[in-house]
Amino acid sequence: MNDGPTGTRSPLPATNGSKRVKVLLLAGILAVLLILPVFSGPSYLLHVLILTFIYIVAAVSFRTITISGQFSISHAGFMGLGAYASGMAAKWLGWPTWITVPLAGIVAMFIGSVVAYPFSRLRAMYYAMGSLFCGVALIDIIASGRSLTGGYAGLSGIPPLFISRISYYYFFLVIGLASVVALYRFEFSRIGVTLKAIAQSHVVASSVGINESRYRVLVVGVGCFFVGLIGACYGHYNRVLSPISFSLGTTLWIIMYALVGGIGSFAGPIIGTVILVLIPNFAGQLKGYLPFVSGVILLIIAYLMPQGLVGLPHAIRNRRSRGGGIGSNLYP
Amino acid sequence: MEQELIQTATNILILAAIYILMGLGFAFILNLLNVFNLAHGAVFMTAGYVCYLFITQAGINHWIAFPLTVVLIGLLGIFLERFCFRPFLGDFNRTTMVCVAITVILSTAMNLWLGSQVIAIPAFIPGVVGVMPFATQWDRLLIFFSSAGILILVMLFVNRTKWGMQMQAISQNVEGAALQGIHFGHIAATACAVGCALAAIAGVFAGAIYNLSPFMGDLTLLKVLILVVLAGVGSFGGIFIMGLIMGAVYAGLPMLIPGAASEAVATVIVITILLIRPRGFFGHE
């Protein structure tokens, strides 16, 4: 039982030329996203894009926790915690939303860190299972809040942030972009490198003077802050919250977004979320069959692209130079 | 009062039997292949629906439909081992992806097909047994005794037969077992078949006592994860004891604490236990 979940793999090599292409591509996508509402108006497309932004932040912050070697299966629980914290503070206490939303992030960070502290002695599989039960417990506690949280019937009447969907769209674009940039800076900072060292070998990391449990608690706190923040924004956007929408299934889907894109690279969760949230939502008439589409995408990625979608160009390059197929490393 | 006590006691025993059957199947796959089979709940749910379809749509007799379902789901287990677990051995991420995909596809299929109806597998033996204060349905009695019989058979299989011994050898040391001429692939396929067959038995029992639902596997899977982790990975004996305790907790606690709070209390207790004893109660490593 020593094969724990694998958090990070070595990043794919990137050359200088491809970096410039990437910057141009990102700028292009951003420009399209900025001017999109002018053409589309407050349509269904904007709603789907808002959901995509929300889950991108969730998936990226999940991956940030995994770079320390902790496969946390509780992410939707903390998203729900943030959503309920902000929604309840705004509804019952009447606090202004611009206070409750950051406060929800801090609440999620605080509770995440408090829970992570005793959990930092669990490793690999046991950490994954412990965090799974932790996410379930959070939602069970929220569901047992009777009239305070609305129980399984849900919390309704949460005050909105804006009136129009277009304002929401820009708000989520800014929040999403800021969170992703912050998490990117975090991962490639000194702390991020330390976390990767802990993931590779916690014994070696401890031997050079790294306080392992402190860093592991820190990264859980950071991940929970961002997911709590975006959860709070989601609550004020949706205006109705139900414990069901933050259950184990949602956590598993957030993990799937990260795995489909490729958990070994920063862009992976973003690409995975776009594939699994954006594309299936345009199936139109076939709405009931959507989960089939997602399931088939998962199977294709698992069988053919071991590194996720991000690894696809690398695999194609390998095929050209060495003659190995896309799935050539399926049977090592 | 007596009626209520008898009712609770049978509920505890039935729930414990279902958890133990599921947990043993899960542990078979976990011990041999090191796979956290997140599709176990979907297999459990599918078995219930398959048995229901055999009995109501195909008009097959109960006593033939039940073993037929178990054999069919056992074959599904061999299929799962060959095409879903073996290619990704040791790769947690991709195994999880495949298991989630199977769960999604199976539960969506059942949901689209039969999800809107409230259905249950018709009773094996209709009616009530016993005199009124000490009465229970025939089905519950039947399920309790057949679960006990099946569990004894499984333990005999593990401890007395060649396959069971080989299984234990592999879960202790894969390379050592291979050196003794044990074929890993055959034994892994056997373990998956037995594991899924046990889940199928649990699924049919659950479908006969409670209602069928496309999502009944998700909740049961969660309970089974708790059971296996608390019992300790690698321990079969622990599963029996923890299964009884969990049956008591999940069937008994709602009597003391009403509503959703009982679930929350139970899960918090589980986390506390896991923090005190990370390897579970009966785990060895």
Coordinates of all heavy atoms in Angstrom, one line a residue, chain A residues 1 3 5-6 9 71 118-119 121-122 125-126 129-130 132-134 136-137 140-141 143-144 146 152 248 253 256 259-260 263 288-289 291-292 295 298-299 301-303 306 330-331, chain B residues 30 34 36 38 83-84 87-88 90-94 96-98 100-102 104-105 108-109 112 222 225-226 229 233 258 260-261 263-264 267-268 270-271 274-276 278-279 285:
Chain A
M1 N 0.8 -1.2 0.0 CA 0.0 0.0 0.0 C 0.9 1.2 0.0 O 0.6 2.2 0.7 CB -0.9 0.0 1.2 CG -1.9 -1.0 1.3 SD -2.8 -1.3 -0.3 CE -3.4 0.4 -0.5
D3 N 2.0 2.8 -2.9 CA 1.8 3.6 -4.1 C 0.7 4.7 -3.9 O -0.4 4.4 -4.1 CB 1.4 2.8 -5.3 CG 2.7 2.1 -5.9 OD1 3.7 2.2 -5.2 OD2 2.6 1.4 -6.9
P5 N -1.3 8.3 -4.5 CA -1.6 9.0 -5.7 C -0.5 9.9 -6.2 O 0.2 10.5 -5.4 CB -2.8 9.9 -5.3 CG -2.8 9.9 -3.8 CD -2.0 8.7 -3.3
T6 N -0.3 10.0 -7.5 CA 0.8 10.8 -8.0 C 0.4 12.2 -8.2 O -0.6 12.4 -8.9 CB 1.3 10.2 -9.3 OG1 0.2 9.9 -10.1 CG2 2.1 8.9 -9.1
R9 N 4.0 15.5 -12.1 CA 5.0 14.9 -13.0 C 5.9 16.0 -13.4 O 5.6 17.2 -13.3 CB 4.3 14.2 -14.1 CG 3.5 13.1 -13.7 CD 3.4 12.1 -14.8 NE 2.4 11.0 -14.5 CZ 1.1 11.1 -14.7 NH1 0.6 12.2 -15.2 NH2 0.3 10.1 -14.4
F71 N -3.2 14.5 -2.1 CA -4.3 14.3 -3.0 C -5.5 14.6 -2.2 O -6.1 13.7 -1.6 CB -4.3 12.9 -3.6 CG -5.0 12.9 -4.9 CD1 -4.4 13.1 -6.1 CD2 -6.4 12.6 -4.9 CE1 -5.0 13.1 -7.3 CE2 -7.0 12.5 -6.1 CZ -6.4 12.8 -7.3
P118 N -4.0 18.4 11.9 CA -3.9 17.0 12.3 C -3.7 16.1 11.1 O -3.1 15.0 11.2 CB -5.2 16.8 13.0 CG -6.1 17.8 12.6 CD -5.3 19.0 12.3
F119 N -4.2 16.5 9.9 CA -4.2 15.6 8.8 C -2.8 15.5 8.2 O -2.5 14.7 7.4 CB -5.1 16.1 7.6 CG -6.5 15.6 7.7 CD1 -7.2 15.7 8.9 CD2 -7.1 14.9 6.7 CE1 -8.4 15.2 9.0 CE2 -8.3 14.4 6.8 CZ -9.0 14.6 8.0
R121 N -0.2 14.5 9.3 CA 0.6 13.3 9.6 C 0.1 12.1 8.8 O 0.7 11.0 8.8 CB 0.5 12.9 11.1 CG -1.0 12.8 11.6 CD -0.9 12.5 13.1 NE -0.6 11.1 13.4 CZ -1.2 10.3 14.2 NH1 -2.2 10.8 14.9 NH2 -0.8 9.1 14.4
L122 N -1.0 12.2 8.1 CA -1.4 11.2 7.2 C -0.7 11.4 5.8 O -0.5 12.5 5.4 CB -2.9 11.2 7.0 CG -3.8 11.2 8.2 CD1 -5.3 11.2 7.8 CD2 -3.6 9.9 9.0
M125 N -2.4 7.5 0.4 CA -3.8 7.0 0.4 C -4.6 7.4 1.6 O -5.8 7.7 1.5 CB -3.7 5.4 0.4 CG -4.6 4.8 -0.5 SD -4.3 5.2 -2.2 CE -5.7 6.1 -2.5
Y126 N -4.0 7.4 2.7 CA -4.7 7.7 4.0 C -5.0 9.2 4.0 O -6.1 9.5 4.5 CB -3.8 7.3 5.2 CG -3.7 5.8 5.2 CD1 -2.6 5.2 4.7 CD2 -4.6 5.0 5.8 CE1 -2.4 3.8 4.7 CE2 -4.5 3.6 5.8 CZ -3.4 3.0 5.3 OH -3.3 1.7 5.3
M129 N -8.1 9.5 1.7 CA -9.3 9.0 2.3 C -9.8 9.9 3.4 O -10.9 10.3 3.5 CB -9.1 7.6 2.8 CG -9.0 6.6 1.7 SD -10.5 6.6 0.7 CE -9.8 6.8 -0.9
G130 N -8.8 10.4 4.2 CA -9.2 11.3 5.3 C -9.8 12.6 4.8 O -10.8 13.0 5.3
L132 N -11.3 12.9 2.0 CA -12.6 12.6 1.4 C -13.7 12.7 2.5 O -14.7 13.3 2.3 CB -12.5 11.2 0.8 CG -13.6 10.7 -0.1 CD1 -13.1 9.7 -1.0 CD2 -14.8 10.1 0.7
F133 N -13.4 12.0 3.6 CA -14.4 12.0 4.7 C -14.5 13.4 5.3 O -15.6 13.8 5.7 CB -13.9 11.1 5.9 CG -13.7 9.7 5.4 CD1 -12.8 8.9 6.0 CD2 -14.5 9.1 4.4 CE1 -12.6 7.6 5.6 CE2 -14.3 7.9 4.0 CZ -13.4 7.1 4.6
C134 N -13.5 14.2 5.2 CA -13.5 15.6 5.7 C -14.5 16.4 4.9 O -15.4 17.1 5.4 CB -12.1 16.2 5.7 SG -12.1 17.9 6.1
V136 N -16.9 15.3 3.1 CA -18.3 14.8 3.3 C -18.8 15.3 4.7 O -20.0 15.7 4.8 CB -18.3 13.2 3.3 CG1 -19.6 12.7 3.8 CG2 -17.9 12.7 1.9
A137 N -18.0 15.3 5.7 CA -18.4 15.8 7.0 C -18.8 17.3 6.9 O -19.8 17.7 7.5 CB -17.3 15.6 8.0
D140 N -22.2 17.4 5.5 CA -23.1 16.8 6.4 C -23.5 17.9 7.5 O -24.6 18.0 7.9 CB -22.6 15.6 7.1 CG -22.7 14.4 6.2 OD1 -23.5 14.5 5.2 OD2 -22.1 13.3 6.4
I141 N -22.4 18.6 8.0 CA -22.6 19.6 9.0 C -23.5 20.7 8.5 O -24.4 21.2 9.1 CB -21.3 20.1 9.6 CG1 -20.6 19.0 10.4 CG2 -21.5 21.3 10.4 CD1 -19.2 19.3 10.7
A143 N -25.6 20.5 6.1 CA -27.0 20.0 5.8 C -27.8 19.9 7.1 O -29.0 19.9 7.1 CB -26.9 18.6 5.1
S144 N -27.1 19.7 8.3 CA -27.8 19.5 9.5 C -28.0 20.8 10.2 O -28.4 20.8 11.4 CB -27.0 18.5 10.4 OG -25.7 19.1 10.7
R146 N -30.4 22.9 9.9 CA -31.8 23.2 10.1 C -32.2 24.6 9.4 O -31.7 24.8 8.3 CB -32.3 23.2 11.5 CG -32.1 21.8 12.1 CD -32.7 21.7 13.4 NE -32.3 20.4 13.9 CZ -32.7 20.0 15.1 NH1 -33.5 20.7 15.8 NH2 -32.3 18.8 15.5
Y152 N -31.3 20.2 3.7 CA -31.2 19.7 2.3 C -32.1 20.5 1.4 O -31.9 20.4 0.2 CB -31.6 18.2 2.3 CG -30.4 17.3 2.7 CD1 -30.5 16.6 3.9 CD2 -29.3 17.2 1.9 CE1 -29.4 15.8 4.3 CE2 -28.3 16.4 2.3 CZ -28.3 15.7 3.5 OH -27.3 15.0 3.8
L248 N -19.7 14.8 -2.7 CA -18.5 14.1 -3.1 C -18.4 14.1 -4.6 O -17.4 14.2 -5.2 CB -18.6 12.7 -2.6 CG -17.4 11.7 -3.0 CD1 -16.1 12.3 -2.5 CD2 -17.7 10.4 -2.4
W253 N -15.7 15.6 -9.7 CA -15.6 16.2 -11.0 C -14.5 17.3 -11.1 O -13.9 17.4 -12.1 CB -17.0 16.8 -11.4 CG -17.9 15.8 -12.0 CD1 -19.0 15.3 -11.4 CD2 -17.7 15.1 -13.2 NE1 -19.5 14.3 -12.2 CE2 -18.7 14.2 -13.3 CE3 -16.7 15.2 -14.2 CZ2 -18.8 13.3 -14.4 CZ3 -16.8 14.3 -15.3 CH2 -17.9 13.4 -15.4
M256 N -11.6 15.4 -11.8 CA -11.6 15.0 -13.2 C -11.1 16.1 -14.1 O -10.4 15.9 -15.1 CB -13.0 14.5 -13.6 CG -13.4 13.2 -13.0 SD -12.2 11.9 -13.2 CE -11.8 11.6 -11.5
L259 N -7.5 16.2 -14.0 CA -6.9 15.0 -14.6 C -7.0 15.0 -16.1 O -6.1 14.6 -16.8 CB -7.4 13.7 -14.0 CG -7.1 13.4 -12.5 CD1 -7.8 12.2 -12.1 CD2 -5.6 13.3 -12.4
V260 N -8.1 15.4 -16.6 CA -8.3 15.4 -18.1 C -7.4 16.4 -18.7 O -6.7 16.0 -19.7 CB -9.8 15.8 -18.4 CG1 -9.9 16.2 -19.9 CG2 -10.7 14.6 -18.2
I263 N -2.6 16.8 -14.7 CA -2.4 17.3 -13.4 C -0.9 17.8 -13.3 O -0.5 18.4 -12.3 CB -2.8 16.3 -12.3 CG1 -3.1 17.0 -11.0 CG2 -1.8 15.2 -12.2 CD1 -3.9 16.2 -10.1
G288 N -30.0 15.4 -21.5 CA -30.0 14.2 -20.6 C -28.8 13.3 -20.9 O -28.4 12.5 -20.0
Y289 N -28.2 13.4 -22.1 CA -27.1 12.5 -22.4 C -25.8 13.1 -22.2 O -24.8 12.4 -22.4 CB -27.2 12.1 -23.9 CG -28.5 11.3 -24.2 CD1 -29.7 12.0 -24.6 CD2 -28.5 10.0 -24.1 CE1 -30.8 11.3 -24.9 CE2 -29.7 9.3 -24.4 CZ -30.8 10.0 -24.7 OH -32.0 9.3 -25.0
P291 N -23.9 13.5 -19.4 CA -22.9 12.7 -18.7 C -22.2 11.7 -19.5 O -21.0 11.4 -19.3 CB -23.7 12.1 -17.6 CG -24.9 13.0 -17.4 CD -25.2 13.5 -18.8
F292 N -22.9 11.1 -20.5 CA -22.3 10.1 -21.4 C -21.1 10.8 -22.1 O -20.0 10.2 -22.2 CB -23.2 9.6 -22.5 CG -24.2 8.6 -22.0 CD1 -25.6 8.8 -22.2 CD2 -23.8 7.5 -21.2 CE1 -26.5 7.9 -21.7 CE2 -24.7 6.6 -20.8 CZ -26.0 6.8 -21.0
G295 N -18.3 11.1 -19.7 CA -17.7 9.8 -19.4 C -16.8 9.3 -20.5 O -15.7 8.8 -20.3
L298 N -13.6 11.1 -20.5 CA -12.7 10.6 -19.5 C -12.0 9.3 -20.0 O -10.8 9.2 -19.8 CB -13.5 10.3 -18.2 CG -13.9 11.5 -17.4 CD1 -14.7 11.0 -16.2 CD2 -12.7 12.2 -16.9
L299 N -12.8 8.4 -20.6 CA -12.2 7.2 -21.0 C -11.2 7.4 -22.1 O -10.1 6.8 -22.0 CB -13.3 6.2 -21.6 CG -14.3 5.6 -20.5 CD1 -15.3 4.8 -21.2 CD2 -13.5 4.8 -19.5
I301 N -9.3 10.0 -22.6 CA -8.1 10.6 -22.1 C -7.4 9.6 -21.3 O -6.1 9.5 -21.4 CB -8.5 11.8 -21.1 CG1 -9.3 12.9 -21.9 CG2 -7.3 12.4 -20.5 CD1 -8.5 13.8 -22.7
A302 N -8.1 8.8 -20.5 CA -7.4 7.8 -19.6 C -6.6 6.8 -20.5 O -5.5 6.4 -20.2 CB -8.4 7.1 -18.7
Y303 N -7.3 6.3 -21.6 CA -6.6 5.3 -22.4 C -5.5 5.8 -23.3 O -4.5 5.2 -23.5 CB -7.6 4.5 -23.2 CG -8.4 3.5 -22.4 CD1 -9.6 3.7 -21.9 CD2 -7.7 2.3 -22.1 CE1 -10.3 2.8 -21.1 CE2 -8.4 1.3 -21.3 CZ -9.6 1.6 -20.8 OH -10.3 0.7 -20.0
P306 N -1.9 9.6 -21.3 CA -1.6 9.4 -19.9 C -1.2 10.7 -19.2 O -1.4 10.8 -18.0 CB -0.4 8.5 -19.9 CG -0.2 8.0 -21.3 CD -1.0 8.8 -22.2
L330 N 1.6 3.5 -22.6 CA 0.5 2.8 -21.9 C 0.9 1.6 -21.1 O 0.5 1.4 -20.0 CB -0.6 2.4 -22.9 CG -1.9 3.2 -22.9 CD1 -2.8 2.6 -23.9 CD2 -2.5 3.2 -21.5
Y331 N 1.8 0.8 -21.7 CA 2.2 -0.4 -21.1 C 3.7 -0.3 -20.8 O 4.5 -0.7 -21.7 CB 1.9 -1.6 -21.9 CG 0.5 -1.8 -22.2 CD1 -0.1 -1.3 -23.3 CD2 -0.3 -2.4 -21.3 CE1 -1.4 -1.4 -23.6 CE2 -1.7 -2.5 -21.5 CZ -2.2 -2.0 -22.6 OH -3.5 -2.2 -22.8
Chain B
L30 N -8.9 -4.2 -3.6 CA -7.9 -3.3 -3.1 C -6.7 -4.1 -2.7 O -5.5 -3.6 -3.0 CB -8.5 -2.6 -1.8 CG -7.6 -1.6 -1.1 CD1 -7.2 -0.5 -2.0 CD2 -8.3 -1.0 0.1
N34 N -4.4 -3.1 -5.5 CA -4.1 -1.8 -5.0 C -4.9 -0.7 -5.7 O -4.5 0.4 -5.9 CB -2.6 -1.5 -5.3 CG -1.9 -1.2 -4.1 OD1 -2.5 -0.7 -3.1 ND2 -0.6 -1.4 -4.0
F36 N -8.4 1.5 -5.6 CA -9.6 2.0 -4.9 C -10.7 2.0 -5.9 O -10.8 2.9 -6.7 CB -9.3 3.4 -4.3 CG -8.9 3.3 -2.9 CD1 -7.6 3.1 -2.6 CD2 -9.8 3.4 -1.9 CE1 -7.2 3.0 -1.3 CE2 -9.4 3.4 -0.5 CZ -8.1 3.1 -0.2
L38 N -13.6 2.9 -7.3 CA -14.7 3.8 -7.0 C -15.9 3.4 -7.9 O -17.0 4.0 -7.7 CB -14.3 5.2 -7.4 CG -13.2 5.8 -6.5 CD1 -12.9 7.3 -6.9 CD2 -13.6 5.8 -5.0
F83 N -9.8 -4.7 -18.7 CA -9.8 -3.5 -19.5 C -9.7 -2.2 -18.7 O -9.4 -1.2 -19.3 CB -11.0 -3.5 -20.5 CG -11.0 -4.6 -21.5 CD1 -11.8 -5.7 -21.3 CD2 -10.1 -4.5 -22.5 CE1 -11.7 -6.7 -22.2 CE2 -10.1 -5.6 -23.4 CZ -10.9 -6.7 -23.3
C84 N -10.0 -2.2 -17.4 CA -10.0 -0.9 -16.7 C -9.0 -0.9 -15.6 O -8.5 0.2 -15.3 CB -11.4 -0.7 -16.1 SG -12.7 -0.7 -17.3
P87 N -4.5 -2.2 -17.4 CA -3.7 -1.3 -18.1 C -3.1 -0.1 -17.3 O -2.1 0.5 -17.7 CB -4.7 -0.7 -19.2 CG -5.8 -1.6 -19.3 CD -5.9 -2.2 -18.0
F88 N -3.8 0.2 -16.1 CA -3.3 1.3 -15.4 C -2.8 0.9 -14.0 O -2.8 1.7 -13.1 CB -4.5 2.3 -15.1 CG -5.2 2.6 -16.4 CD1 -6.6 2.3 -16.5 CD2 -4.6 3.1 -17.5 CE1 -7.3 2.6 -17.6 CE2 -5.3 3.4 -18.6 CZ -6.6 3.1 -18.7
G90 N -1.1 0.6 -10.7 CA -0.2 1.5 -10.0 C -0.4 2.9 -10.3 O 0.3 3.8 -9.8
D91 N -1.3 3.3 -11.2 CA -1.5 4.7 -11.6 C -2.9 5.1 -11.0 O -3.9 4.9 -11.6 CB -1.5 4.8 -13.1 CG -1.5 6.3 -13.5 OD1 -2.0 7.1 -12.7 OD2 -1.1 6.6 -14.7
F92 N -2.8 5.7 -9.8 CA -4.0 6.1 -9.1 C -4.9 7.0 -9.9 O -6.1 6.8 -10.0 CB -3.6 6.8 -7.8 CG -4.8 7.3 -7.0 CD1 -5.5 6.4 -6.1 CD2 -5.2 8.6 -7.0 CE1 -6.5 6.9 -5.4 CE2 -6.2 9.1 -6.3 CZ -6.9 8.2 -5.5
N93 N -4.3 8.0 -10.6 CA -5.0 9.1 -11.3 C -5.9 8.5 -12.4 O -7.1 8.8 -12.5 CB -4.1 10.1 -11.9 CG -3.4 10.9 -10.8 OD1 -3.8 10.8 -9.6 ND2 -2.4 11.6 -11.2
R94 N -5.3 7.6 -13.2 CA -6.0 7.2 -14.4 C -7.1 6.1 -13.9 O -8.1 6.0 -14.5 CB -5.1 6.6 -15.4 CG -4.4 7.8 -16.2 CD -3.1 7.4 -16.8 NE -3.3 6.6 -18.0 CZ -2.4 5.7 -18.4 NH1 -1.2 5.6 -17.8 NH2 -2.6 5.1 -19.5
T96 N -8.7 6.2 -11.2 CA -9.8 7.0 -10.7 C -10.7 7.5 -11.8 O -11.9 7.5 -11.8 CB -9.3 8.2 -9.9 OG1 -8.3 7.7 -8.9 CG2 -10.4 8.9 -9.1
M97 N -10.0 8.0 -12.9 CA -10.7 8.5 -14.0 C -11.6 7.5 -14.6 O -12.8 7.7 -14.9 CB -9.7 9.0 -15.1 CG -9.2 10.4 -14.9 SD -7.9 10.6 -16.1 CE -8.7 11.4 -17.4
V98 N -11.1 6.3 -14.8 CA -11.8 5.2 -15.5 C -13.0 4.8 -14.6 O -14.1 4.6 -15.0 CB -10.9 4.0 -15.8 CG1 -11.8 2.8 -16.2 CG2 -9.9 4.4 -16.8
V100 N -14.6 6.7 -12.3 CA -15.6 7.7 -12.4 C -16.4 7.7 -13.7 O -17.6 7.8 -13.7 CB -15.0 9.1 -12.2 CG1 -16.0 10.2 -12.5 CG2 -14.4 9.3 -10.8
A101 N -15.7 7.4 -14.8 CA -16.3 7.3 -16.1 C -17.3 6.2 -16.1 O -18.5 6.3 -16.5 CB -15.3 7.1 -17.2
I102 N -17.0 5.0 -15.5 CA -17.9 3.9 -15.5 C -19.1 4.2 -14.6 O -20.2 3.9 -15.0 CB -17.1 2.6 -14.9 CG1 -16.1 2.2 -15.9 CG2 -18.1 1.5 -14.7 CD1 -15.1 1.2 -15.3
V104 N -20.4 7.1 -14.0 CA -21.2 8.1 -14.7 C -22.0 7.5 -15.8 O -23.2 7.7 -15.9 CB -20.3 9.2 -15.2 CG1 -21.1 10.0 -16.3 CG2 -19.8 10.1 -14.1
I105 N -21.4 6.6 -16.5 CA -22.1 6.0 -17.7 C -23.2 5.1 -17.2 O -24.3 5.1 -17.7 CB -21.1 5.3 -18.6 CG1 -20.2 6.3 -19.3 CG2 -21.8 4.4 -19.6 CD1 -19.0 5.8 -20.1
T108 N -26.0 7.1 -15.4 CA -26.8 7.9 -16.3 C -27.7 7.0 -17.2 O -28.9 7.3 -17.4 CB -25.9 8.7 -17.2 OG1 -24.9 9.4 -16.5 CG2 -26.7 9.7 -18.0
A109 N -27.2 5.8 -17.6 CA -28.0 4.9 -18.4 C -29.2 4.5 -17.6 O -30.3 4.5 -18.1 CB -27.1 3.7 -18.8
L112 N -31.7 7.4 -17.2 CA -32.5 7.7 -18.3 C -33.5 6.6 -18.6 O -34.6 6.9 -19.1 CB -31.6 7.9 -19.5 CG -30.7 9.1 -19.6 CD1 -29.8 9.1 -20.8 CD2 -31.6 10.4 -19.7
L222 N -19.7 5.4 -0.3 CA -19.0 6.2 0.7 C -18.9 5.4 2.0 O -17.9 5.4 2.7 CB -19.9 7.4 0.9 CG -19.3 8.5 1.9 CD1 -18.0 9.0 1.3 CD2 -20.3 9.6 2.0
L225 N -16.2 2.8 1.7 CA -14.9 3.4 1.9 C -14.6 3.6 3.4 O -13.5 3.3 3.8 CB -14.8 4.8 1.2 CG -14.7 4.8 -0.3 CD1 -14.8 6.2 -0.9 CD2 -13.3 4.2 -0.7
I226 N -15.5 4.2 4.1 CA -15.3 4.4 5.5 C -15.0 3.0 6.2 O -14.1 2.9 7.0 CB -16.6 5.0 6.2 CG1 -16.8 6.4 5.6 CG2 -16.5 5.0 7.7 CD1 -18.0 7.1 6.1
V229 N -11.5 1.6 5.2 CA -10.4 2.4 5.8 C -10.3 2.2 7.3 O -9.3 2.0 7.9 CB -10.5 3.9 5.4 CG1 -9.5 4.7 6.2 CG2 -10.3 4.1 3.9
V233 N -6.6 -1.4 5.8 CA -6.4 -2.1 4.5 C -5.6 -3.4 4.8 O -4.7 -3.4 5.5 CB -5.6 -1.1 3.6 CG1 -5.2 -1.8 2.4 CG2 -6.4 0.1 3.3
P258 N -32.0 13.0 15.5 CA -32.8 13.1 14.3 C -32.2 13.7 13.2 O -31.3 14.6 13.3 CB -34.1 13.9 14.8 CG -33.5 14.7 15.9 CD -32.4 14.0 16.5
A260 N -30.4 15.0 9.6 CA -29.1 15.0 8.9 C -28.0 15.0 10.0 O -26.9 14.7 9.6 CB -29.0 16.2 8.0
A261 N -28.3 15.5 11.2 CA -27.2 15.6 12.2 C -26.5 14.3 12.5 O -25.4 14.2 12.8 CB -27.8 16.2 13.5
E263 N -25.8 11.8 10.5 CA -24.8 11.6 9.5 C -23.5 12.4 9.8 O -22.4 11.9 9.7 CB -25.3 12.0 8.1 CG -26.4 11.2 7.5 CD -25.8 10.0 6.8 OE1 -24.8 10.1 6.0 OE2 -26.3 8.9 7.0
A264 N -23.7 13.7 10.1 CA -22.6 14.5 10.5 C -21.8 14.0 11.6 O -20.6 13.9 11.6 CB -23.1 16.0 10.7
T267 N -19.8 10.9 10.6 CA -18.6 11.2 9.8 C -17.5 11.8 10.6 O -16.4 11.5 10.5 CB -19.0 12.1 8.6 OG1 -20.3 11.7 8.2 CG2 -18.0 11.9 7.5
V268 N -17.9 12.7 11.6 CA -16.9 13.3 12.4 C -16.2 12.3 13.3 O -15.0 12.3 13.5 CB -17.5 14.5 13.3 CG1 -16.5 14.9 14.3 CG2 -17.9 15.6 12.4
V270 N -15.8 9.2 12.5 CA -14.9 8.4 11.6 C -13.6 9.2 11.4 O -12.5 8.6 11.5 CB -15.6 8.2 10.2 CG1 -14.6 7.8 9.2 CG2 -16.7 7.2 10.4
I271 N -13.6 10.5 11.2 CA -12.4 11.3 11.0 C -11.5 11.2 12.2 O -10.3 11.0 12.1 CB -12.8 12.7 10.6 CG1 -13.4 12.8 9.2 CG2 -11.5 13.6 10.6 CD1 -13.9 14.1 8.8
L274 N -9.8 8.0 12.4 CA -8.8 7.9 11.4 C -7.5 8.7 11.8 O -6.4 8.3 11.5 CB -9.3 8.4 10.1 CG -8.4 8.1 8.9 CD1 -8.4 6.7 8.6 CD2 -8.9 8.9 7.7
L275 N -7.7 9.8 12.5 CA -6.6 10.6 12.9 C -5.8 9.9 14.1 O -4.6 10.0 14.2 CB -7.1 12.0 13.4 CG -7.5 12.9 12.2 CD1 -8.1 14.2 12.7 CD2 -6.3 13.2 11.3
I276 N -6.6 9.2 14.9 CA -5.9 8.5 16.0 C -5.2 7.3 15.5 O -4.1 7.0 15.9 CB -6.9 8.2 17.1 CG1 -7.6 9.5 17.7 CG2 -6.3 7.4 18.3 CD1 -8.8 9.3 18.5
P278 N -4.3 6.0 12.0 CA -4.3 6.1 10.6 C -4.4 4.8 9.8 O -4.9 4.8 8.7 CB -3.0 6.8 10.3 CG -2.6 7.5 11.6 CD -3.1 6.6 12.6
R279 N -3.9 3.7 10.4 CA -3.9 2.5 9.6 C -5.2 1.7 9.9 O -5.3 0.5 9.5 CB -2.7 1.6 10.0 CG -1.4 2.2 9.7 CD -0.9 1.6 8.4 NE 0.5 2.2 8.1 CZ 0.6 3.2 7.3 NH1 -0.4 3.8 6.7 NH2 1.9 3.7 7.1
E285 N 0.9 -3.4 8.6 CA 1.7 -3.0 7.5 C 3.2 -2.9 7.9 O 3.5 -2.5 9.0 CB 1.3 -1.6 6.9 CG 1.7 -1.5 5.5 CD 0.9 -0.5 4.7 OE1 -0.2 -0.2 5.2 OE2 1.3 0.0 3.7

